[in-house]
Amino acid sequence: MPTESLWPLNVPGIAYGGDYNPEQWPLDVQLEDVELMREAGVGLLSVAIFSWAQLEPREGEFEFEWLDAVLDRLHAAGIRVALATATASPPPWLTRKHPEILPERPDGTVLNQGSRQSYAVSSPLFRDYALRMTRRMAERYREHPALALWHVDNELGCHVPHDCSDAAAVAFRRWLESRYGTIDALNTAWGTAFWSQRYDSFEEILPPRAAPTFVNPTQQLDFARYSSDEQLAHYRALRDVLREVTPHVPTTTNFMMTTANKWVDYFSWSSDMDVVANDHYLVSRDPEAHIGLAFSADLSRGVAGGAPWMLMEHSTSAVNWQPRNGAKRAGEMLRNSLSHVARGADAVMFFQWRQSAAGAEKYHSAMVPHAGRDTDVWRNTVELGRILRALAPVKGSRVRAEVALVVDYPSWWSAEAEGRPTDALDYMAEATRWYRALWRRGVAVDIVSAGTDTAGYRAVVVPTLHTVTDRDAARVAEAAHAGASVLITFLSGIVDEHDHVRLGGYPGAFRDLLGVRTEEFYPLQEDEVLTLDDGTRADLWSEKTHLEGAKSVRTWADGPLAGLPAVTRNSVGRGSAWYVATRPDEEGVAGIVDALLAEAGVSPAAAGLPEGAEAVRRYSDDGTSFLFVINHTAHDVEVSAAGHELLRGEDVAGRVTVPARESVVIHER
């Protein structure tokens, strides 16, 4: 796991900056950039992410002089650099010479040059070129004083999470042989007796390309695992070159840990990162996008194992890739940034430093906007620099949470696969349904993997853990026996790691823990809504559940299952195990969460805050703490606190006012 000892950012306060793309601009603008960076207090920049075509305009001909000058200027200004391997997009000469490195969709469509990430990550030929470029970068800049961190590639798996090219077929077979050892073991795991799919050798296996109907579900699940692992293998290969040449420089790559980025299992990558970095962008259409931001930040901290992490990218205002790209409102960018810091970020960075005049992202906001310095965006850029310098004491402190929420990428993949009881299930919507209720109650949440030891938490929420190993199921049970209040929702524990149904009744792996047995699923139709005995409503899902030791908390008041349990609770060891066999409405979720937290003895970070305000506390090793209160509402709020308010530089005690759409950070002593 990442450790603080590897935290590389020796800059004042929380590290501040963004992606810097000087190759887009003439020299006079680059010189102005340095002066503006000083004004804003920028201390860290990602450089050369998409520079391969500028650095190697023709094969074997390198032009590093412009980048030398950029790094020298940044160093002279006291700015450190997260230097990229420059491999995120191959130059046109490479794809023209070797079109076989291009990625391929399941239907055979080849993804060509003219965008970015136009490479098959499994291509040995592309890997060789990328390794050569990485070594060139490392050898040239190994001793440069501006170098603080290596930025490997960029957003791996973002645009091409699954490649079905011939190179991918070879790599997939190799991965399968390593996983299973023999073709007989694979046939058993994949259930190939169904539909005459038995394989006689690994050479017969293909990626899940377009087929007449459903592709083997375990083949699809394994291909998702392979694809995540192959992206990681690419990272490792480049990282290993960097470690060989510059063992003193940490490495990372920017993750995309959000509810939309499905196909990389970031928990399985975390131990390979010297520091975890994440990119996050608000969803303009979501009126509660700040809660989605909090989820992403808590997930980033969870993947980092609780250690400080980097916000590598977010936006000063609008993005350019959503259907309608809304500008951020007054104070929103500052609140967004502070929310990330509150939840463990020790770096706040943006895409990008200067808004592009040309190219596909020219309408994406930046720290320096098209309209220049006389803008709210620039004034906010400068103000955020001041704020982050004031937060210097926060650096290195950590969040402590009493509630864990389990997120599992293989369950996301399998629960939403074709041929399931309902195709209306949205795995991340189920996870965030429970997260939002916890956020509204002001409790800190660690988002953890299914294999995490959760026995130290007071409450553990396990939404739709569809695919689960025996070991991971036992970890959940251990938490309950140790005293936690564990809540498990529908469609959990149903299949093992091979996507084989656990026989004997649902919810399979959790049947004994929960003290229930479901004999049949009763998925609800699109417009079908049922009522529970407390008057709350539920949709999407119901099931015919029988009590086998548990007690009923909610029963069905109508529908074909009237009188049968819909929510149950089972006493287990020193704790309890709750089961929610449906999708309750917001009121229903709130009632269940309130009961769970009361039973577990979990309290909010700050009492009495209205909905729309959040409070998070970070703790230092010296015993002091930092209370972040972020007010997303249009009204002033008050909070009880005592200490030194860092943003305004004043001592406070008693009731502290947090102005509308602003924040306070109190160093509690």
Side-chain angles (χ1 to χ4, degrees), residues 100-106 109-111 119-123 159-169 171-172 207-209 223 226-227 230-231:
E100 65 271 26
I101 74 168
L102 294 169
E104 189 174 314
R105 287 179 174 162
T109 301
V110 174
L111 303 178
Y119 63 81
V121 73
S122 57
S123 166
H159 303 296
V160 191
H162 295 157
D163 166 44
C164 291
S165 66
D166 290 343
F172 184 39
R209 292 171 174 163
F223 191 72
Y226 148 77
S227 297
E230 189 67 17
Q231 298 283 352

PDB file of all heavy atoms in Angstrom, residues 100-106 109-111 119-123 159-169 171-172 207-209 223 226-227 230-231:
ATOM      1  N   GLU A 100      -1.073  -2.505 -36.879  1.00  0.00           N
ATOM      2  CA  GLU A 100      -1.443  -3.662 -36.066  1.00  0.00           C
ATOM      3  C   GLU A 100      -1.469  -3.341 -34.569  1.00  0.00           C
ATOM      4  O   GLU A 100      -1.965  -4.154 -33.773  1.00  0.00           O
ATOM      5  CB  GLU A 100      -0.496  -4.832 -36.333  1.00  0.00           C
ATOM      6  CG  GLU A 100       0.947  -4.618 -35.921  1.00  0.00           C
ATOM      7  CD  GLU A 100       1.816  -3.992 -37.006  1.00  0.00           C
ATOM      8  OE1 GLU A 100       1.265  -3.274 -37.870  1.00  0.00           O
ATOM      9  OE2 GLU A 100       3.045  -4.206 -36.972  1.00  0.00           O
ATOM     10  N   ILE A 101      -0.952  -2.169 -34.159  1.00  0.00           N
ATOM     11  CA  ILE A 101      -1.004  -1.813 -32.740  1.00  0.00           C
ATOM     12  C   ILE A 101      -2.339  -1.179 -32.363  1.00  0.00           C
ATOM     13  O   ILE A 101      -2.585  -0.926 -31.180  1.00  0.00           O
ATOM     14  CB  ILE A 101       0.140  -0.857 -32.343  1.00  0.00           C
ATOM     15  CG1 ILE A 101      -0.116   0.568 -32.881  1.00  0.00           C
ATOM     16  CG2 ILE A 101       1.489  -1.393 -32.786  1.00  0.00           C
ATOM     17  CD1 ILE A 101       0.814   1.615 -32.304  1.00  0.00           C
ATOM     18  N   LEU A 102      -3.203  -0.918 -33.332  1.00  0.00           N
ATOM     19  CA  LEU A 102      -4.473  -0.250 -33.054  1.00  0.00           C
ATOM     20  C   LEU A 102      -5.446  -1.195 -32.347  1.00  0.00           C
ATOM     21  O   LEU A 102      -5.470  -2.400 -32.618  1.00  0.00           O
ATOM     22  CB  LEU A 102      -5.097   0.262 -34.345  1.00  0.00           C
ATOM     23  CG  LEU A 102      -4.318   1.372 -35.054  1.00  0.00           C
ATOM     24  CD1 LEU A 102      -4.881   1.605 -36.449  1.00  0.00           C
ATOM     25  CD2 LEU A 102      -4.342   2.662 -34.231  1.00  0.00           C
ATOM     26  N   PRO A 103      -6.277  -0.666 -31.443  1.00  0.00           N
ATOM     27  CA  PRO A 103      -7.228  -1.509 -30.715  1.00  0.00           C
ATOM     28  C   PRO A 103      -8.450  -1.846 -31.567  1.00  0.00           C
ATOM     29  O   PRO A 103      -8.741  -1.180 -32.567  1.00  0.00           O
ATOM     30  CB  PRO A 103      -7.616  -0.650 -29.513  1.00  0.00           C
ATOM     31  CG  PRO A 103      -7.448   0.757 -30.000  1.00  0.00           C
ATOM     32  CD  PRO A 103      -6.307   0.732 -30.980  1.00  0.00           C
ATOM     33  N   GLU A 104      -9.169  -2.881 -31.134  1.00  0.00           N
ATOM     34  CA  GLU A 104     -10.303  -3.384 -31.902  1.00  0.00           C
ATOM     35  C   GLU A 104     -11.478  -3.653 -30.970  1.00  0.00           C
ATOM     36  O   GLU A 104     -11.322  -4.222 -29.889  1.00  0.00           O
ATOM     37  CB  GLU A 104      -9.878  -4.675 -32.610  1.00  0.00           C
ATOM     38  CG  GLU A 104     -10.871  -5.215 -33.607  1.00  0.00           C
ATOM     39  CD  GLU A 104     -10.317  -6.415 -34.359  1.00  0.00           C
ATOM     40  OE1 GLU A 104      -9.146  -6.342 -34.816  1.00  0.00           O
ATOM     41  OE2 GLU A 104     -11.033  -7.425 -34.470  1.00  0.00           O
ATOM     42  N   ARG A 105     -12.651  -3.232 -31.404  1.00  0.00           N
ATOM     43  CA  ARG A 105     -13.869  -3.479 -30.640  1.00  0.00           C
ATOM     44  C   ARG A 105     -14.355  -4.915 -30.838  1.00  0.00           C
ATOM     45  O   ARG A 105     -13.911  -5.610 -31.764  1.00  0.00           O
ATOM     46  CB  ARG A 105     -14.964  -2.503 -31.078  1.00  0.00           C
ATOM     47  CG  ARG A 105     -14.740  -1.080 -30.608  1.00  0.00           C
ATOM     48  CD  ARG A 105     -15.833  -0.171 -31.101  1.00  0.00           C
ATOM     49  NE  ARG A 105     -15.700   1.171 -30.549  1.00  0.00           N
ATOM     50  CZ  ARG A 105     -16.284   2.254 -31.048  1.00  0.00           C
ATOM     51  NH1 ARG A 105     -17.052   2.151 -32.135  1.00  0.00           N
ATOM     52  NH2 ARG A 105     -16.113   3.429 -30.478  1.00  0.00           N
ATOM     53  N   PRO A 106     -15.305  -5.377 -29.996  1.00  0.00           N
ATOM     54  CA  PRO A 106     -15.823  -6.741 -30.156  1.00  0.00           C
ATOM     55  C   PRO A 106     -16.412  -7.016 -31.533  1.00  0.00           C
ATOM     56  O   PRO A 106     -16.394  -8.161 -31.999  1.00  0.00           O
ATOM     57  CB  PRO A 106     -16.891  -6.842 -29.057  1.00  0.00           C
ATOM     58  CG  PRO A 106     -16.433  -5.888 -28.006  1.00  0.00           C
ATOM     59  CD  PRO A 106     -15.817  -4.742 -28.748  1.00  0.00           C
ATOM     60  N   THR A 109     -14.508  -3.491 -35.307  1.00  0.00           N
ATOM     61  CA  THR A 109     -14.163  -2.113 -35.660  1.00  0.00           C
ATOM     62  C   THR A 109     -12.788  -1.759 -35.106  1.00  0.00           C
ATOM     63  O   THR A 109     -12.527  -1.927 -33.909  1.00  0.00           O
ATOM     64  CB  THR A 109     -15.198  -1.128 -35.106  1.00  0.00           C
ATOM     65  OG1 THR A 109     -16.484  -1.441 -35.639  1.00  0.00           O
ATOM     66  CG2 THR A 109     -14.824   0.311 -35.450  1.00  0.00           C
ATOM     67  N   VAL A 110     -11.912  -1.270 -35.974  1.00  0.00           N
ATOM     68  CA  VAL A 110     -10.588  -0.832 -35.555  1.00  0.00           C
ATOM     69  C   VAL A 110     -10.660   0.647 -35.186  1.00  0.00           C
ATOM     70  O   VAL A 110     -11.214   1.465 -35.926  1.00  0.00           O
ATOM     71  CB  VAL A 110      -9.557  -1.065 -36.670  1.00  0.00           C
ATOM     72  CG1 VAL A 110      -8.199  -0.470 -36.289  1.00  0.00           C
ATOM     73  CG2 VAL A 110      -9.422  -2.560 -36.947  1.00  0.00           C
ATOM     74  N   LEU A 111     -10.104   0.998 -34.044  1.00  0.00           N
ATOM     75  CA  LEU A 111     -10.092   2.389 -33.570  1.00  0.00           C
ATOM     76  C   LEU A 111      -8.802   3.052 -34.049  1.00  0.00           C
ATOM     77  O   LEU A 111      -7.709   2.699 -33.603  1.00  0.00           O
ATOM     78  CB  LEU A 111     -10.208   2.421 -32.047  1.00  0.00           C
ATOM     79  CG  LEU A 111     -11.450   1.715 -31.485  1.00  0.00           C
ATOM     80  CD1 LEU A 111     -11.454   1.762 -29.964  1.00  0.00           C
ATOM     81  CD2 LEU A 111     -12.727   2.324 -32.048  1.00  0.00           C
ATOM     82  N   TYR A 119      -4.073   2.782 -29.127  1.00  0.00           N
ATOM     83  CA  TYR A 119      -3.164   1.648 -29.057  1.00  0.00           C
ATOM     84  C   TYR A 119      -3.841   0.487 -28.344  1.00  0.00           C
ATOM     85  O   TYR A 119      -4.706   0.678 -27.491  1.00  0.00           O
ATOM     86  CB  TYR A 119      -1.853   2.010 -28.347  1.00  0.00           C
ATOM     87  CG  TYR A 119      -1.994   2.425 -26.895  1.00  0.00           C
ATOM     88  CD1 TYR A 119      -2.110   1.466 -25.883  1.00  0.00           C
ATOM     89  CD2 TYR A 119      -1.980   3.767 -26.524  1.00  0.00           C
ATOM     90  CE1 TYR A 119      -2.229   1.842 -24.557  1.00  0.00           C
ATOM     91  CE2 TYR A 119      -2.097   4.156 -25.205  1.00  0.00           C
ATOM     92  CZ  TYR A 119      -2.217   3.192 -24.217  1.00  0.00           C
ATOM     93  OH  TYR A 119      -2.337   3.563 -22.899  1.00  0.00           O
ATOM     94  N   ALA A 120      -3.480  -0.725 -28.751  1.00  0.00           N
ATOM     95  CA  ALA A 120      -3.899  -1.939 -28.053  1.00  0.00           C
ATOM     96  C   ALA A 120      -2.908  -2.178 -26.925  1.00  0.00           C
ATOM     97  O   ALA A 120      -1.721  -2.402 -27.169  1.00  0.00           O
ATOM     98  CB  ALA A 120      -3.926  -3.121 -29.009  1.00  0.00           C
ATOM     99  N   VAL A 121      -3.391  -2.123 -25.690  1.00  0.00           N
ATOM    100  CA  VAL A 121      -2.480  -2.200 -24.552  1.00  0.00           C
ATOM    101  C   VAL A 121      -1.760  -3.545 -24.502  1.00  0.00           C
ATOM    102  O   VAL A 121      -0.676  -3.654 -23.921  1.00  0.00           O
ATOM    103  CB  VAL A 121      -3.254  -1.932 -23.243  1.00  0.00           C
ATOM    104  CG1 VAL A 121      -4.144  -3.126 -22.876  1.00  0.00           C
ATOM    105  CG2 VAL A 121      -2.312  -1.594 -22.102  1.00  0.00           C
ATOM    106  N   SER A 122      -2.328  -4.567 -25.153  1.00  0.00           N
ATOM    107  CA  SER A 122      -1.714  -5.892 -25.161  1.00  0.00           C
ATOM    108  C   SER A 122      -0.709  -6.082 -26.293  1.00  0.00           C
ATOM    109  O   SER A 122      -0.070  -7.134 -26.368  1.00  0.00           O
ATOM    110  CB  SER A 122      -2.805  -6.960 -25.283  1.00  0.00           C
ATOM    111  OG  SER A 122      -3.579  -6.737 -26.445  1.00  0.00           O
ATOM    112  N   SER A 123      -0.556  -5.090 -27.162  1.00  0.00           N
ATOM    113  CA  SER A 123       0.347  -5.228 -28.305  1.00  0.00           C
ATOM    114  C   SER A 123       1.806  -5.242 -27.847  1.00  0.00           C
ATOM    115  O   SER A 123       2.297  -4.236 -27.309  1.00  0.00           O
ATOM    116  CB  SER A 123       0.131  -4.075 -29.288  1.00  0.00           C
ATOM    117  OG  SER A 123       1.195  -4.010 -30.210  1.00  0.00           O
ATOM    118  N   HIS A 159     -10.607   5.097 -22.475  1.00  0.00           N
ATOM    119  CA  HIS A 159     -11.329   5.050 -23.747  1.00  0.00           C
ATOM    120  C   HIS A 159     -11.399   3.649 -24.354  1.00  0.00           C
ATOM    121  O   HIS A 159     -12.327   3.358 -25.105  1.00  0.00           O
ATOM    122  CB  HIS A 159     -10.662   6.000 -24.749  1.00  0.00           C
ATOM    123  CG  HIS A 159     -10.578   7.402 -24.269  1.00  0.00           C
ATOM    124  ND1 HIS A 159     -11.689   8.169 -24.016  1.00  0.00           N
ATOM    125  CD2 HIS A 159      -9.509   8.188 -23.961  1.00  0.00           C
ATOM    126  CE1 HIS A 159     -11.314   9.358 -23.577  1.00  0.00           C
ATOM    127  NE2 HIS A 159      -9.999   9.394 -23.537  1.00  0.00           N
ATOM    128  N   VAL A 160     -10.419   2.827 -24.027  1.00  0.00           N
ATOM    129  CA  VAL A 160     -10.387   1.476 -24.597  1.00  0.00           C
ATOM    130  C   VAL A 160     -10.213   0.474 -23.448  1.00  0.00           C
ATOM    131  O   VAL A 160      -9.150  -0.145 -23.299  1.00  0.00           O
ATOM    132  CB  VAL A 160      -9.255   1.321 -25.631  1.00  0.00           C
ATOM    133  CG1 VAL A 160      -9.417   0.000 -26.399  1.00  0.00           C
ATOM    134  CG2 VAL A 160      -9.220   2.492 -26.606  1.00  0.00           C
ATOM    135  N   PRO A 161     -11.235   0.307 -22.633  1.00  0.00           N
ATOM    136  CA  PRO A 161     -11.083  -0.633 -21.511  1.00  0.00           C
ATOM    137  C   PRO A 161     -10.971  -2.074 -21.969  1.00  0.00           C
ATOM    138  O   PRO A 161     -10.337  -2.892 -21.301  1.00  0.00           O
ATOM    139  CB  PRO A 161     -12.346  -0.394 -20.685  1.00  0.00           C
ATOM    140  CG  PRO A 161     -13.350   0.142 -21.652  1.00  0.00           C
ATOM    141  CD  PRO A 161     -12.559   0.957 -22.623  1.00  0.00           C
ATOM    142  N   HIS A 162     -11.599  -2.394 -23.116  1.00  0.00           N
ATOM    143  CA  HIS A 162     -11.574  -3.754 -23.648  1.00  0.00           C
ATOM    144  C   HIS A 162     -11.094  -3.722 -25.091  1.00  0.00           C
ATOM    145  O   HIS A 162     -11.696  -3.056 -25.935  1.00  0.00           O
ATOM    146  CB  HIS A 162     -12.969  -4.384 -23.594  1.00  0.00           C
ATOM    147  CG  HIS A 162     -13.483  -4.575 -22.211  1.00  0.00           C
ATOM    148  ND1 HIS A 162     -14.822  -4.686 -21.907  1.00  0.00           N
ATOM    149  CD2 HIS A 162     -12.842  -4.671 -21.029  1.00  0.00           C
ATOM    150  CE1 HIS A 162     -14.977  -4.848 -20.612  1.00  0.00           C
ATOM    151  NE2 HIS A 162     -13.787  -4.826 -20.061  1.00  0.00           N
ATOM    152  N   ASP A 163     -10.022  -4.420 -25.344  1.00  0.00           N
ATOM    153  CA  ASP A 163      -9.499  -4.554 -26.701  1.00  0.00           C
ATOM    154  C   ASP A 163      -9.664  -6.002 -27.128  1.00  0.00           C
ATOM    155  O   ASP A 163      -9.282  -6.925 -26.397  1.00  0.00           O
ATOM    156  CB  ASP A 163      -8.022  -4.154 -26.728  1.00  0.00           C
ATOM    157  CG  ASP A 163      -7.340  -4.579 -28.013  1.00  0.00           C
ATOM    158  OD1 ASP A 163      -7.946  -4.393 -29.088  1.00  0.00           O
ATOM    159  OD2 ASP A 163      -6.209  -5.112 -27.930  1.00  0.00           O
ATOM    160  N   CYS A 164     -10.246  -6.220 -28.307  1.00  0.00           N
ATOM    161  CA  CYS A 164     -10.493  -7.574 -28.803  1.00  0.00           C
ATOM    162  C   CYS A 164      -9.645  -7.910 -30.021  1.00  0.00           C
ATOM    163  O   CYS A 164     -10.015  -8.751 -30.840  1.00  0.00           O
ATOM    164  CB  CYS A 164     -11.979  -7.745 -29.123  1.00  0.00           C
ATOM    165  SG  CYS A 164     -13.037  -7.741 -27.667  1.00  0.00           S
ATOM    166  N   SER A 165      -8.518  -7.249 -30.152  1.00  0.00           N
ATOM    167  CA  SER A 165      -7.626  -7.486 -31.289  1.00  0.00           C
ATOM    168  C   SER A 165      -6.979  -8.870 -31.190  1.00  0.00           C
ATOM    169  O   SER A 165      -7.097  -9.573 -30.183  1.00  0.00           O
ATOM    170  CB  SER A 165      -6.534  -6.419 -31.324  1.00  0.00           C
ATOM    171  OG  SER A 165      -5.692  -6.551 -30.187  1.00  0.00           O
ATOM    172  N   ASP A 166      -6.256  -9.245 -32.250  1.00  0.00           N
ATOM    173  CA  ASP A 166      -5.534 -10.515 -32.230  1.00  0.00           C
ATOM    174  C   ASP A 166      -4.472 -10.532 -31.130  1.00  0.00           C
ATOM    175  O   ASP A 166      -4.234 -11.571 -30.494  1.00  0.00           O
ATOM    176  CB  ASP A 166      -4.889 -10.780 -33.589  1.00  0.00           C
ATOM    177  CG  ASP A 166      -5.914 -11.107 -34.672  1.00  0.00           C
ATOM    178  OD1 ASP A 166      -7.066 -11.439 -34.320  1.00  0.00           O
ATOM    179  OD2 ASP A 166      -5.571 -11.014 -35.869  1.00  0.00           O
ATOM    180  N   ALA A 167      -3.841  -9.381 -30.893  1.00  0.00           N
ATOM    181  CA  ALA A 167      -2.856  -9.309 -29.805  1.00  0.00           C
ATOM    182  C   ALA A 167      -3.532  -9.564 -28.461  1.00  0.00           C
ATOM    183  O   ALA A 167      -2.969 -10.229 -27.583  1.00  0.00           O
ATOM    184  CB  ALA A 167      -2.170  -7.948 -29.809  1.00  0.00           C
ATOM    185  N   ALA A 168      -4.746  -9.038 -28.305  1.00  0.00           N
ATOM    186  CA  ALA A 168      -5.487  -9.278 -27.069  1.00  0.00           C
ATOM    187  C   ALA A 168      -5.852 -10.743 -26.916  1.00  0.00           C
ATOM    188  O   ALA A 168      -5.849 -11.286 -25.798  1.00  0.00           O
ATOM    189  CB  ALA A 168      -6.746  -8.409 -27.041  1.00  0.00           C
ATOM    190  N   ALA A 169      -6.180 -11.413 -28.023  1.00  0.00           N
ATOM    191  CA  ALA A 169      -6.509 -12.837 -27.958  1.00  0.00           C
ATOM    192  C   ALA A 169      -5.324 -13.634 -27.424  1.00  0.00           C
ATOM    193  O   ALA A 169      -5.483 -14.516 -26.565  1.00  0.00           O
ATOM    194  CB  ALA A 169      -6.926 -13.342 -29.337  1.00  0.00           C
ATOM    195  N   ALA A 171      -2.822 -12.489 -25.556  1.00  0.00           N
ATOM    196  CA  ALA A 171      -2.583 -12.120 -24.157  1.00  0.00           C
ATOM    197  C   ALA A 171      -3.647 -12.708 -23.235  1.00  0.00           C
ATOM    198  O   ALA A 171      -3.345 -13.126 -22.105  1.00  0.00           O
ATOM    199  CB  ALA A 171      -2.545 -10.605 -24.030  1.00  0.00           C
ATOM    200  N   PHE A 172      -4.894 -12.741 -23.698  1.00  0.00           N
ATOM    201  CA  PHE A 172      -5.981 -13.314 -22.901  1.00  0.00           C
ATOM    202  C   PHE A 172      -5.731 -14.806 -22.660  1.00  0.00           C
ATOM    203  O   PHE A 172      -5.903 -15.311 -21.540  1.00  0.00           O
ATOM    204  CB  PHE A 172      -7.304 -13.085 -23.627  1.00  0.00           C
ATOM    205  CG  PHE A 172      -8.531 -13.537 -22.879  1.00  0.00           C
ATOM    206  CD1 PHE A 172      -8.648 -13.365 -21.502  1.00  0.00           C
ATOM    207  CD2 PHE A 172      -9.589 -14.121 -23.565  1.00  0.00           C
ATOM    208  CE1 PHE A 172      -9.799 -13.772 -20.817  1.00  0.00           C
ATOM    209  CE2 PHE A 172     -10.743 -14.527 -22.898  1.00  0.00           C
ATOM    210  CZ  PHE A 172     -10.840 -14.361 -21.527  1.00  0.00           C
ATOM    211  N   PRO A 207     -11.280 -13.626 -27.325  1.00  0.00           N
ATOM    212  CA  PRO A 207     -11.957 -12.633 -26.504  1.00  0.00           C
ATOM    213  C   PRO A 207     -13.468 -12.698 -26.774  1.00  0.00           C
ATOM    214  O   PRO A 207     -13.900 -13.254 -27.791  1.00  0.00           O
ATOM    215  CB  PRO A 207     -11.369 -11.304 -26.991  1.00  0.00           C
ATOM    216  CG  PRO A 207     -10.093 -11.660 -27.660  1.00  0.00           C
ATOM    217  CD  PRO A 207     -10.310 -13.019 -28.256  1.00  0.00           C
ATOM    218  N   PRO A 208     -14.286 -12.146 -25.903  1.00  0.00           N
ATOM    219  CA  PRO A 208     -15.738 -12.169 -26.131  1.00  0.00           C
ATOM    220  C   PRO A 208     -16.144 -11.210 -27.247  1.00  0.00           C
ATOM    221  O   PRO A 208     -16.687 -10.131 -27.015  1.00  0.00           O
ATOM    222  CB  PRO A 208     -16.317 -11.757 -24.776  1.00  0.00           C
ATOM    223  CG  PRO A 208     -15.230 -10.997 -24.107  1.00  0.00           C
ATOM    224  CD  PRO A 208     -13.938 -11.590 -24.583  1.00  0.00           C
ATOM    225  N   ARG A 209     -15.876 -11.627 -28.462  1.00  0.00           N
ATOM    226  CA  ARG A 209     -16.240 -10.828 -29.624  1.00  0.00           C
ATOM    227  C   ARG A 209     -17.728 -10.960 -29.910  1.00  0.00           C
ATOM    228  O   ARG A 209     -18.441 -11.726 -29.269  1.00  0.00           O
ATOM    229  CB  ARG A 209     -15.412 -11.273 -30.824  1.00  0.00           C
ATOM    230  CG  ARG A 209     -13.922 -10.941 -30.690  1.00  0.00           C
ATOM    231  CD  ARG A 209     -13.079 -11.571 -31.769  1.00  0.00           C
ATOM    232  NE  ARG A 209     -11.674 -11.127 -31.695  1.00  0.00           N
ATOM    233  CZ  ARG A 209     -10.668 -11.734 -32.293  1.00  0.00           C
ATOM    234  NH1 ARG A 209     -10.895 -12.828 -33.022  1.00  0.00           N
ATOM    235  NH2 ARG A 209      -9.435 -11.278 -32.180  1.00  0.00           N
ATOM    236  N   PHE A 223     -12.684 -11.973 -18.908  1.00  0.00           N
ATOM    237  CA  PHE A 223     -12.105 -10.999 -19.835  1.00  0.00           C
ATOM    238  C   PHE A 223     -12.049  -9.616 -19.198  1.00  0.00           C
ATOM    239  O   PHE A 223     -11.092  -8.851 -19.427  1.00  0.00           O
ATOM    240  CB  PHE A 223     -12.892 -10.947 -21.139  1.00  0.00           C
ATOM    241  CG  PHE A 223     -12.205 -10.155 -22.221  1.00  0.00           C
ATOM    242  CD1 PHE A 223     -11.084 -10.657 -22.860  1.00  0.00           C
ATOM    243  CD2 PHE A 223     -12.661  -8.898 -22.588  1.00  0.00           C
ATOM    244  CE1 PHE A 223     -10.426  -9.931 -23.841  1.00  0.00           C
ATOM    245  CE2 PHE A 223     -12.020  -8.158 -23.581  1.00  0.00           C
ATOM    246  CZ  PHE A 223     -10.898  -8.677 -24.203  1.00  0.00           C
ATOM    247  N   TYR A 226      -9.067  -9.882 -16.908  1.00  0.00           N
ATOM    248  CA  TYR A 226      -7.854  -9.824 -17.730  1.00  0.00           C
ATOM    249  C   TYR A 226      -7.585  -8.401 -18.213  1.00  0.00           C
ATOM    250  O   TYR A 226      -6.439  -7.927 -18.175  1.00  0.00           O
ATOM    251  CB  TYR A 226      -7.977 -10.767 -18.927  1.00  0.00           C
ATOM    252  CG  TYR A 226      -7.238 -10.254 -20.141  1.00  0.00           C
ATOM    253  CD1 TYR A 226      -5.858 -10.353 -20.232  1.00  0.00           C
ATOM    254  CD2 TYR A 226      -7.925  -9.598 -21.169  1.00  0.00           C
ATOM    255  CE1 TYR A 226      -5.172  -9.831 -21.322  1.00  0.00           C
ATOM    256  CE2 TYR A 226      -7.252  -9.076 -22.255  1.00  0.00           C
ATOM    257  CZ  TYR A 226      -5.880  -9.193 -22.325  1.00  0.00           C
ATOM    258  OH  TYR A 226      -5.208  -8.654 -23.391  1.00  0.00           O
ATOM    259  N   SER A 227      -8.627  -7.718 -18.689  1.00  0.00           N
ATOM    260  CA  SER A 227      -8.439  -6.380 -19.257  1.00  0.00           C
ATOM    261  C   SER A 227      -7.907  -5.416 -18.212  1.00  0.00           C
ATOM    262  O   SER A 227      -7.005  -4.608 -18.491  1.00  0.00           O
ATOM    263  CB  SER A 227      -9.759  -5.875 -19.844  1.00  0.00           C
ATOM    264  OG  SER A 227     -10.181  -6.688 -20.914  1.00  0.00           O
ATOM    265  N   GLU A 230      -4.320  -6.404 -17.627  1.00  0.00           N
ATOM    266  CA  GLU A 230      -3.417  -6.082 -18.742  1.00  0.00           C
ATOM    267  C   GLU A 230      -3.050  -4.595 -18.726  1.00  0.00           C
ATOM    268  O   GLU A 230      -1.901  -4.222 -19.026  1.00  0.00           O
ATOM    269  CB  GLU A 230      -4.059  -6.456 -20.072  1.00  0.00           C
ATOM    270  CG  GLU A 230      -3.129  -6.356 -21.269  1.00  0.00           C
ATOM    271  CD  GLU A 230      -1.991  -7.375 -21.243  1.00  0.00           C
ATOM    272  OE1 GLU A 230      -2.087  -8.362 -20.487  1.00  0.00           O
ATOM    273  OE2 GLU A 230      -1.006  -7.176 -21.982  1.00  0.00           O
ATOM    274  N   GLN A 231      -4.013  -3.742 -18.365  1.00  0.00           N
ATOM    275  CA  GLN A 231      -3.688  -2.321 -18.196  1.00  0.00           C
ATOM    276  C   GLN A 231      -2.667  -2.150 -17.077  1.00  0.00           C
ATOM    277  O   GLN A 231      -1.722  -1.351 -17.197  1.00  0.00           O
ATOM    278  CB  GLN A 231      -4.955  -1.523 -17.880  1.00  0.00           C
ATOM    279  CG  GLN A 231      -6.021  -1.538 -18.962  1.00  0.00           C
ATOM    280  CD  GLN A 231      -5.726  -0.631 -20.136  1.00  0.00           C
ATOM    281  OE1 GLN A 231      -4.772   0.148 -20.113  1.00  0.00           O
ATOM    282  NE2 GLN A 231      -6.538  -0.720 -21.177  1.00  0.00           N
TER     283      GLN A 231
END
